[in-house]
Amino acid sequence: MQITISNSSKEPIYEQITSQIRSYILSGELQEGTALPSIRQLAKDLQISVITTKRAYEELEKAGFTYSIVGKGSFVAEQNLEVIREKKLKVIEEQLGAVITNSREIGLSLDELQQLMKILYEE
């Protein structure tokens, strides 16, 4: 598992860690039960604060992607990919609803919106 931190990103470091680990889990690169690096080890490897790493691990646990065992560390939790997919689809639908509302307000046609979506999707 390779985590890359960008100091120039507007996204906080803990969120960069969280999103990358989440991606590894959802893609299947990190399997259920796999141990994550210790909080201290990851902080050392990334040359960041232990507090930042701890926050990233807490966010992953809150979201159900990992679980912790005191004295043993953090591990990848069992994932129900279908449930995760449905949750993500619901979020996408809500966001697209807002996009459509905004598009109508400025008179953007469906064709123009589809072209914009295609351009952004292919980036």
Side-chain angles (χ1 to χ4, degrees), residues 43-112:
K44 182 181 173 189
D45 292 348
L46 298 176
Q47 298 178 338
I48 60 172
S49 167
V50 171
I51 296 168
T52 303
T53 308
K54 186 175 188 309
R55 178 150 184 210
Y57 277 31
E58 287 171 350
E59 294 292 321
L60 286 166
E61 192 164 350
K62 264 197 283 188
F65 286 96
T66 62
Y67 63 93
S68 298
I69 300 175
V70 177
K72 301 246 186 214
S74 294
F75 300 86
V76 176
E78 179 181 353
Q79 300 298 310
N80 183 336
L81 297 179
E82 191 59 35
V83 171
I84 293 169
R85 186 177 192 286
E86 283 300 317
K87 285 181 183 177
K88 290 219 176 255
L89 276 173
K90 187 175 187 310
V91 170
I92 290 170
E93 287 172 6
E94 290 170 0
Q95 291 172 341
L96 284 175
V99 167
I100 290 168
T101 300
N102 288 333
S103 298
R104 287 181 177 150
E105 287 175 0
I106 63 167
L108 197 65
S109 73
L110 178 58
D111 285 338
E112 292 170 316

Side-chain angles (χ1 to χ4, degrees), residues 8-59:
S8 61
S9 174
K10 292 181 181 178
E11 184 178 35
I13 292 173
Y14 80 91
E15 285 182 7
Q16 292 179 48
I17 295 168
T18 302
S19 66
Q20 289 178 54
I21 292 175
R22 188 174 37 239
S23 293
Y24 282 124
I25 293 170
L26 291 175
S27 71
E29 286 186 54
L30 285 177
Q31 297 290 320
E32 172 188 345
T34 302
L36 296 179
S38 73
I39 290 172
R40 284 193 174 101
Q41 185 61 52
L42 186 60
K44 182 181 173 189
D45 292 348
L46 298 176
Q47 298 178 338
I48 60 172
S49 167
V50 171
I51 296 168
T52 303
T53 308
K54 186 175 188 309
R55 178 150 184 210
Y57 277 31
E58 287 171 350
E59 294 292 321

